[in-house]
């Protein structure tokens, strides 16, 4: 099945229905501040068990795209970003909407999302096969060094404390160890509990960290009221002149979004922040940013949607997720016994093509749905959280139980919800935890396979050029924040 | 490290306490992991063994947590991670009271719900949970109570039948 067949597959009734349903649910959940697209993906996993792999990938990719896009609706109309990646959109979207131009603000965001997504799709279909072919030469030491690099990048590039980022990723790794050790077949870290023999379910941990912890956080804000704006859609369609005027901003922001998406573990939030800052820095009128300026909305929304295609590239070619949400997509593929990595293209071309076709088609469907129904979706914000939050907890319980039929997993999800909530209170980023959880088994398996082949010697890690290069990059990104902060301190002292 | 921006100003007491609790919690988890991993027998064919990677991970975490403790001792800042998975509500209307008690209630009720499922069955436990949790979160007016009851009944029955129709195993 080549890419054209991927699109033909999407024209069948069931995949088409899943595409539309996934995109719509993604937009709705993306617009609601109480739940993120990542949580929706986690909640949807159990429903996909009985689907074919391409159907499951279609539904979840559509949700991924819809979730990233939906956040702009409430960010623009209510100054409440439905998704963390839409935080920057509020800076210009809301002032423009409040100035009586909500339709134009939404139109700029929706169009930028479509074009950003489409450009990242081009990168996805062109770069993925090349990267996959290149990755075929990787041995266990290269794979281990690559995963190590990914983990360091996640901690290094997430804004805030690198120590906390590293600790979060390491905690995720530690959580993945209990259960049967696949190399030796021994049970480990079970604390003598027979329920722990199967280890912690990845899905249960993800549900806890992504969804339950958000419920616990939202419960505190249950009395929050949202500002209502006059919701007209006049100006939602941009003129050709608008597109021409924004073309350079769109292209630059898309490249930023794609590049940051490819970097392991760095989500769409960082893409939009970097693209916005770059647009402001390079603008002739930087003072207009933050006052309801077209360029700000376009930069932010182009970048966060471009991030989706970028994040899928390392996920399908190397088995390393480019964002926390992509890590759930990766978990979904693993649950369907589809192993992402360079062999995915030869072993499961149907899955690859369905994913790639859905990524583009979901952006088109998203555009149509958002233009037609954004005001209706915005009204869902006024549904009181008392009616929504309990249902999310029940959905998490169902999702956690459905994977293995164990009540232990329901407890795991709730416990990790509390852990995630506590970590957020301590300002510890949760993204690295989820990615560490997913990547640790791969890293350990590759390291031990390599050590068995080298009679226990770690020397190939520095002797093999690719593995050594990945290690050098890891070391660089580990020490770069140190150097950067030291330089900032010196600059601050000198002024 | 990024956190090594040695801002001269001391952290607030609350954030220092949180950092302390976080570092100590990490140390406790690592100690437990190392204690448990050291019981692991060596596999004859495996040069590394099942315990090595968990112990190495825990050791790295101990070093990192110790850095946080040292920084607290030196009264230096460990900046928080800004890349939150949570959707932000900070920018919204601030004219409301944040109620941490609701989070505690959510935790208690969620665990009670999980405990009730084997006793009462999924549908009954779900209806009860949706009604009680919904009522606790609502403003408890007669109107809200009626809506919560309706949502609880419809949600409990609907979710049970809906997921059964999708052939998803229910607790």
């Amino acid at each position: 099945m080549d890419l054209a067949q991927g699109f033909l597959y999407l024209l069948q009734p069931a995949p088409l229905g899943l595409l539309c349903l996934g995109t719509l649910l993604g937009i709705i959940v993306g617009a609601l501040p109480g739940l993120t697209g990542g949580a929706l993906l986690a909640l949807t996993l159990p429903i996909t068990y009985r689907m074919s792999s391409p159907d499951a990938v279609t539904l979840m990719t559509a949700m991924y795209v819809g979730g990233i896009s939906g956040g702009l609706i409430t960010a623009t109309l209510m100054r409440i970003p439905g998704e963390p990646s839409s935080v920057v959109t509020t800076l210009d979207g809301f002032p423009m909407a409040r100035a009586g131009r909500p339709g134009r603000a939404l139109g700029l965001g929706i169009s930028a999302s479509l074009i950003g997504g489409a450009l990242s799709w081009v990168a996805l279909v062109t770069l993925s096969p090349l990267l996959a072919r290149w990755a075929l030469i990787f041995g266990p030491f290269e794979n281990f060094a690559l995963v190590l690099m990914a983990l360091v990048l996640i901690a290094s590039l997430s804004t805030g404390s690198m120590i906390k980022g590293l600790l979060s990723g390491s905690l995720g790794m530690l959580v993945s160890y209990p259960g049967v050790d696949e190399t030796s077949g021994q049970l480990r870290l079970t604390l003598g509990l027979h329920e722990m023999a199967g280890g912690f379910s990845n899905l249960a941990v993800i549900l806890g960290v992504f969804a339950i912890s958000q419920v616990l956080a939202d419960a505190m804000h249950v009395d929050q009221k949202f500002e209502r704006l006059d919701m007209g859609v006049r100006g939602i369609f941009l003129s050709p002149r608008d597109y021409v005027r924004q073309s350079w901003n769109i292209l630059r922001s898309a490249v930023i979004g794609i590049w940051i998406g490819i970097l392991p573990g760095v989500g769409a939030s960082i893409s939009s922040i970097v693209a916005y800052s770059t647009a402001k820095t390079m603008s002739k009128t930087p003072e207009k940013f933050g006052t309801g300026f077209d360029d700000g909305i376009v930069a932010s929304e182009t970048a966060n949607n471009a991030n989706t295609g970028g994040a899928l590239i390392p996920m399908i070619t190397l088995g390393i997720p480019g964002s926390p949400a992509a890590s759930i997509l990766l978990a979904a593929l693993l649950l369907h016994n589809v192993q992402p990595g360079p062999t995915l293209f030869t072993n499961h071309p149907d899955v690859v093509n369905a994913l790639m076709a859905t990524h583009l088609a979901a952006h088109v469907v998203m555009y149509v749905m958002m233009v037609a129904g954004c005001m209706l979706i915005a009204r869902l914000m006024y549904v009181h959280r008392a009616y929504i939050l309990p249902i999310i907890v029940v959905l998490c319980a169902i999702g956690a139980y459905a994977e293995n039929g164990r009540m232990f997993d329901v407890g795991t999800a709730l416990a990790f919800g509390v852990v995630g909530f506590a970590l957020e209170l301590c300002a510890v980023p949760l993204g690295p935890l989820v990615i560490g959880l997913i990547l640790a088994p791969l890293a350990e398996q590759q390291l031990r396979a390599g050590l068995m082949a080298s009679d226990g010697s770690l020397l190939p890690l520095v002797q093999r050029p690719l593995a050594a290069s990945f290690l050098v990059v890891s070391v660089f990104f580990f020490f770069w924040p140190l150097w950067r902060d030291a330089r900032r301190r010196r600059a601050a002292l000198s002024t | 490290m990024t956190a090594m921006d040695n801002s001269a100003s001391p952290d607030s007491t609350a954030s220092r306490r949180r950092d302390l609790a976080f570092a100590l919690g990490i140390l406790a988890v690592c100690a437990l992991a190392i204690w448990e991993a050291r019981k692991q027998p060596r596999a004859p064919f495996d040069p590394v063994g099942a315990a090595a990677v968990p112990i190495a991970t825990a050791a790295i975490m101990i070093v990192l947590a110790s850095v946080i403790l040292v920084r607290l001792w030196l009264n230096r800042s460990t900046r928080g991670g800004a890349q939150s998975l949570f959707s932000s509500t900070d920018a919204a209307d601030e004219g409301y009271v944040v109620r941490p008690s609701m989070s505690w209630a959510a935790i208690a009720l969620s665990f009670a719900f999980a405990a009730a499922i084997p006793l009462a069955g999924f549908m009954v436990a779900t209806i009860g949970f949706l009604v009680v949790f919904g009522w606790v979160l609502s403003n408890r007016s007669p109107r809200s109570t009626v809506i919560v009851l309706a949502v609880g009944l419809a949600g409990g029955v609907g979710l049970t039948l809906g997921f059964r129709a999708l052939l998803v195993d229910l607790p």
Side-chain angles (χ1 to χ4, degrees):
Chain A
M1 187 158 100
D2 60 21
L3 194 53
Q5 282 176 304
F7 285 107
L8 287 175
Y9 155 79
L10 283 183
L11 290 176
Q12 296 171 50
L16 186 62
L18 291 171
L19 169 72
C20 295
L21 179 70
T23 310
L24 180 64
L25 286 174
I27 293 170
I28 290 173
V29 168
L32 293 173
L35 203 58
T36 60
L40 175 68
L41 288 173
L43 288 170
T44 309
L45 262 179
I47 299 171
T48 68
Y49 289 157
R50 294 178 196 274
M51 291 180 184
S52 69
S53 303
D55 282 356
V57 161
T58 298
L59 179 65
M60 297 193 73
T61 307
M63 285 178 169
Y64 180 37
V65 170
I68 289 283
S69 313
L72 87 94
I73 297 176
T74 41
T76 302
L77 297 179
M78 295 159 193
R79 203 170 42 137
I80 301 162
E83 288 280 321
S85 58
S86 299
V87 170
V88 183
T89 308
T90 59
L91 299 179
D92 283 285
F94 185 72
M96 187 182 284
R98 193 147 68 172
R101 295 186 296 157
R104 176 158 179 85
L106 285 169
L108 284 164
I110 296 168
S111 302
S113 296
L114 171 68
I115 300 172
L119 290 172
S120 77
W121 176 80
V122 174
L124 176 67
V125 296
T126 51
L127 295 181
S128 297
L130 300 174
L131 194 58
R133 265 200 294 276
W134 179 60
L136 278 172
I137 61 170
F138 288 8
F141 283 109
E142 282 81 7
N143 282 321
F144 170 72
L146 184 67
V147 174
L148 192 70
M149 184 180 81
L151 288 169
V152 174
L153 274 172
I154 292 160
S156 169
L157 296 182
S158 59
T159 53
S161 164
M162 183 175 171
I163 295 181
K164 287 181 176 174
L166 281 172
L167 274 170
S168 178
S170 307
L171 188 62
M173 295 172 76
L174 209 57
V175 169
S176 76
Y177 297 141
V180 179
D181 167 39
E182 285 191 13
T183 308
S184 65
Q186 294 173 347
L187 282 177
R188 66 177 178 185
L189 305 181
T190 61
L191 302 169
L193 301 171
H194 69 88
E195 292 93 342
M196 291 278 286
F200 293 118
S201 151
N202 279 0
L203 176 58
V205 175
I206 289 169
L207 281 169
V209 169
F210 271 86
I212 301 269
S213 54
Q214 174 84 58
V215 169
L216 301 182
D218 276 0
M220 282 198 290
H221 302 278
V222 73
D223 293 333
Q224 190 180 27
K225 301 280 189 298
F226 302 118
E227 189 176 343
R228 286 170 187 259
L229 282 175
D230 173 34
M231 294 182 182
V233 290
R234 201 161 156 263
I236 202 163
F237 293 105
L238 304 189
S239 67
R241 232 175 111 192
D242 286 322
Y243 287 107
V244 172
R245 201 182 304 133
Q246 291 294 337
S247 56
W248 173 234
N249 187 15
I250 286 174
L251 189 64
R252 182 182 56 224
S253 304
V255 170
I256 290 171
I258 293 164
W259 171 242
I260 291 180
I262 291 173
L263 295 177
V266 189
S269 336
I270 300 291
S271 302
S272 54
I273 292 167
V274 174
Y276 185 88
S277 310
T278 311
K280 189 176 175 180
T281 308
M282 300 187 78
S283 171
K284 288 175 186 163
T285 52
E287 71 283 357
K288 286 187 179 174
F289 280 77
T291 61
F293 192 35
D294 292 5
D295 295 27
I297 300 172
V298 169
S300 163
E301 285 304 317
T302 304
N304 65 24
N305 275 74
N307 185 280
T308 58
L312 291 175
I313 294 171
M315 189 201 85
I316 60 172
T317 56
L318 305 170
I320 292 175
S323 68
S327 69
I328 303 176
L329 268 174
L330 178 67
L333 291 176
L334 294 172
L335 281 172
H336 278 263
N337 288 323
V338 174
Q339 177 65 53
T343 55
L344 183 68
F345 285 76
T346 45
N347 293 345
H348 298 281
D350 53 341
V351 172
V352 173
N353 291 311
L355 184 145
M356 288 181 172
T358 303
H359 182 261
L360 182 64
H363 274 98
V364 177
V365 173
M366 173 276 295
Y367 179 84
V368 174
M369 284 180 172
M370 298 247 296
V371 165
C374 57
M375 296 305 173
L376 198 63
I377 292 164
R379 289 184 200 284
L380 290 172
M381 274 297 301
Y382 303 125
V383 177
H384 198 280
R385 291 178 195 195
Y387 315 130
I388 297 174
L389 298 183
I391 292 176
I392 295 170
V393 176
V394 175
L395 289 173
C396 288
I398 294 171
Y401 181 85
E403 186 185 3
N404 301 310
R406 300 191 305 174
M407 276 307 289
F408 176 73
D409 292 336
V410 178
T412 301
L414 295 176
F416 275 93
V418 178
V419 169
F421 179 55
L423 290 176
E424 273 282 332
L425 288 180
C426 296
V428 176
L430 295 177
L433 189 150
V434 175
I435 291 164
L437 172 82
I438 302 285
L439 289 184
L442 176 66
E444 184 182 8
Q445 185 192 19
Q446 295 296 325
L447 175 67
R448 289 169 70 181
L451 287 174
M452 276 190 210
S454 68
D455 289 329
S457 169
L458 282 168
L459 275 179
L461 263 178
V462 287
Q463 286 172 335
R464 297 171 70 99
L466 271 174
S469 318
F470 293 146
L471 278 186
V472 168
V473 175
S474 308
V475 170
F476 170 77
F477 275 101
F478 188 84
F479 286 105
W480 172 65
L482 274 176
W483 174 79
R484 182 191 58 192
D485 291 332
R487 212 175 62 151
R488 277 184 194 161
R489 272 200 305 278
R490 273 199 302 274
L493 282 174
S494 64
T495 53
Chain B
M1 328 256 144
T2 310
M4 302 278 185
D5 69 316
N6 299 328
S7 62
S9 62
D11 288 348
S12 70
T13 310
S15 75
R16 286 172 58 81
R17 274 194 198 141
R18 285 174 188 162
D19 281 354
L20 180 67
F22 171 60
L24 293 178
I26 289 287
L27 290 179
V29 169
C30 292
L32 183 67
I34 291 174
W35 176 69
E36 188 68 13
R38 283 172 65 92
K39 296 184 206 163
Q40 209 67 40
R42 281 297 288 265
F45 57 89
D46 184 359
V48 177
V53 176
I55 288 176
T57 308
I60 292 168
M61 290 172 73
I62 287 172
V63 172
L64 292 169
S66 303
V67 172
I68 292 181
L69 290 177
V70 169
R71 292 182 65 80
L72 282 171
W73 185 52
L74 295 173
N75 209 20
R76 286 186 179 175
S77 156
T78 303
R79 274 191 318 188
Q83 198 185 6
S84 174
L85 280 184
F86 289 5
S87 47
S88 169
T89 51
D90 295 344
D93 171 35
E94 298 295 340
Y96 69 99
V97 179
V98 177
R99 295 201 285 168
S101 61
M102 287 295 123
S103 296
W104 290 108
I107 293 169
L109 288 171
S110 300
F111 278 101
F113 166 58
I117 292 171
L119 303 173
F122 179 75
M123 191 192 290
V124 174
T126 301
I127 292 171
F129 174 72
L130 293 180
V131 171
V132 174
F133 190 18
W135 188 76
V136 168
L137 290 174
S138 72
N139 59 15
R140 295 169 208 178
S141 66
R143 183 173 173 270
S144 299
T145 306
V146 171
I147 296 175
V148 161
L149 276 170
V151 170
L153 272 171
V157 175
L159 286 171
T160 307
L161 298 180
F163 276 96
R164 279 200 187 133
L166 289 167
L167 303 175
V168 173
D169 292 333
L170 292 175

